[in-house]
Amino acid sequence: MSRTRRGAALAAFAVAAASFVAAPSVSVAAAPTHSDVSGVECATDEGSAARVRPGQHEHERNEMSQKEVVATERETRARLASRKIDIQAVTTVPVVFHVITASGGTGNVTNSQISQQIAEMNQNFAGGESSQASNTEFQFTLQATRRVTNTNWFNNVDNPSVEAAMKSATREGDAGVLNIWSTNTSYLGFATFPSWYAADPELDGVVIQYGSVPGGNIANFNLGKTASHEVGHWLGLYHTFQGGCSTSNDQVSDTPAQRTSTSGCPNGKDTCPAAGVDPIHNYMDYSYDSCYNQFTPGQKTRMKNQWAAYRA
């Protein structure tokens, strides 16, 4: 992620924050910390943390180049060498869910949908959708729901300065608290990686398109699995097509190499000469929600390691 836009974003904070109108909270949590800004990179087969909406060919958000991946992996190994890891321990992650709406209520996500979204994430991370899936031993519990009416934040979160203003005013908790914002982003969602937290703690979290929650209005992407995909990034996973057909690809040995992202659910898709067809059912591809059904044991280990290195 590029961090060169921080100054401009924070300068814009005062203007954007002036239109902040907070509705009563559904539940109560600790006082908020503050947030920052992301970069924008071109869409490639590298490690982006954004999921583009169907039918669109946009630049992706918060992308890691292969050079950045190499540096991050080196840093992670160094951190893990000095930490004891209990790979079997169940990790419970508190969630603060921020519902951002436009004036008039456009974009409202109901309490029922939020409950369904958390349940979907728990099912996905518990390996509940396939006998081939791993129980990652990450669980999510709703700590607080925050409701904010701000038309600028709702419609323009893809602008880094607007994203910075929104997150600076609303983000809560430390590295172990998952903040999710539902907005009218032009992407299905975008996220930050664990290794970015130390430099930009106020930026940390996941942004999703409000129509991607269970019962939302985006056909083929309204079962709530966009949040699971983005939380995978938040826990340190790259896309399954990260690095293409290289031997290291997504840094996980049990996800077959994959040259290109997947659209739909094309069984048998195979874009690399190495053994194994493309992992189209993996939550970290770009498949339809109905196609997703698994994280792998290797991805579980990676998430546990990333948690130990950066979030524990």
Side-chain angles (χ1 to χ4, degrees), residues 108-305:
N108 182 50
V109 176
T110 68
N111 290 342
S112 176
Q113 286 178 306
I114 294 170
S115 294
Q116 292 175 61
Q117 180 64 81
I118 299 297
E120 182 65 32
M121 289 159 53
N122 279 326
Q123 175 177 255
N124 298 166
F125 280 84
E129 294 197 311
S130 169
S131 61
Q132 304 301 311
S134 173
N135 179 355
T136 70
E137 296 176 339
F138 281 94
Q139 299 175 349
F140 305 90
T141 182
L142 184 64
Q143 174 176 287
T145 299
R146 308 302 190 196
R147 296 185 179 275
V148 177
T149 298
N150 187 306
T151 301
N152 187 38
W153 294 356
F154 177 69
N155 284 320
N156 298 310
V157 70
D158 296 343
N159 182 309
S161 65
V162 175
E163 179 195 1
M166 179 187 76
K167 290 183 173 181
S168 295
T170 59
R171 192 190 179 280
E172 302 184 18
D174 58 16
V177 176
L178 170 60
N179 283 252
I180 299 176
W181 291 266
S182 62
T183 70
N184 194 31
T185 174
S186 63
Y187 309 93
L188 284 169
F190 55 93
T192 58
F193 288 105
S195 57
W196 296 350
Y197 182 83
D200 291 297
E202 62 277 13
L203 172 66
D204 189 63
V206 165
V207 174
I208 60 170
Q209 225 291 333
Y210 77 94
S212 73
V213 300
N217 60 10
I218 303 179
N220 297 314
F221 298 94
N222 59 359
L223 300 180
K225 297 184 184 182
T226 286
S228 295
H229 175 104
E230 299 304 338
V231 172
H233 288 309
W234 186 80
L235 289 171
L237 296 182
Y238 300 122
H239 289 137
T240 51
F241 48 90
Q242 166 74 37
C245 296
S246 65
T247 54
S248 60
N249 48 74
D250 65 347
Q251 308 295 320
V252 176
S253 62
D254 60 2
T255 54
Q258 178 179 359
R259 184 181 300 278
T260 60
S261 60
T262 298
S263 177
C265 194
N267 285 319
K269 176 174 176 272
D270 190 2
T271 57
C272 287
V277 297
D278 290 6
I280 66 169
H281 300 296
N282 195 283
Y283 297 112
M284 301 314 296
D285 198 354
Y286 272 7
S287 312
Y288 286 167
D289 276 15
S290 59
C291 193
Y292 283 155
N293 64 23
Q294 62 190 265
F295 289 113
T296 68
Q299 287 175 315
K300 168 190 172 177
T301 297
R302 181 174 175 82
M303 287 188 280
K304 287 289 190 179
N305 287 343

